[in-house]
Amino acid sequence: MPDPITFPSSTPALNLPLLIAGQAQKEFFLNQALSLLDALHARAVTGSEAAPPAAAQEGDCYRVIAPATGAWTGQEDHIAVLMGGEWHFIVPGEGLQLFDRAADHMVVFRSQWRRATVPANPTGGTVIDIEARAAVAALMQALSNVGILGFVNA
């Protein structure tokens, strides 16, 4: 007879708590997992802050930036979710992509949080191709509009 399957205490991607046989207060662990999924369903954060906002609402989700202070001390680069009046912290996995609603751009976690930067508009050269420059500028603006690049001042 094969050995029974054993599960870790949490899921590998989002670190959601798993139920185990004989566990007390199963509803707490299930509610915690569902709250985390709800907070991250859109893969968006309210904003990026170094300290908890004074007017945070239940379910608000923030990317903690350095230097973290207050209840977020030592939680740099984590995602803070307000659940049950307390902050819960999620360690981001490599490749996690989030939309920062306050900054209006995407960020991706690759050892640290990164975002695309706006390349400089083309200038100079011996041959100026007006149509090519206009196409590059339009592409940069389109990528900015969907949050892939930072805001482009055209």
Side-chain angles (χ1 to χ4, degrees):
M1 183 167 147
D3 291 332
I5 297 173
T6 58
F7 291 97
S9 61
S10 61
T11 63
L14 292 178
N15 200 29
L16 299 174
L18 294 174
L19 300 177
I20 56 175
Q23 181 174 2
Q25 297 183 326
K26 291 181 193 285
E27 65 280 358
F28 172 80
F29 291 91
L30 178 62
N31 290 341
Q32 180 186 23
L34 291 173
S35 294
L36 291 171
L37 287 173
D38 184 64
L40 293 175
H41 80 280
R43 294 211 173 188
V45 293
T46 305
S48 299
E49 303 287 340
Q57 301 292 314
E58 186 72 13
D60 279 355
C61 190
Y62 290 88
R63 183 172 64 98
V64 181
I65 59 174
T69 61
W72 292 357
T73 300
Q75 302 295 334
E76 286 87 354
D77 285 340
H78 293 162
I79 301 161
V81 181
L82 188 61
M83 292 188 316
E86 299 290 328
W87 290 104
H88 179 82
F89 299 97
I90 301 167
V91 178
E94 198 72 13
L96 177 64
Q97 296 177 12
L98 297 173
F99 182 75
D100 185 320
R101 291 182 181 117
D104 198 29
H105 65 253
M106 297 291 296
V107 292
V108 64
F109 189 80
R110 293 191 184 122
S111 308
Q112 64 184 15
W113 289 104
R114 300 170 191 239
R115 68 176 218 142
T117 56
V118 179
N121 280 320
T123 60
T126 57
V127 177
I128 297 175
D129 185 339
I130 302 284
E131 292 175 9
R133 288 179 189 222
V136 169
L139 177 61
M140 288 172 43
Q141 186 62 53
L143 292 173
S144 176
N145 290 344
V146 297
I148 294 173
L149 293 178
F151 184 73
V152 175
N153 290 325

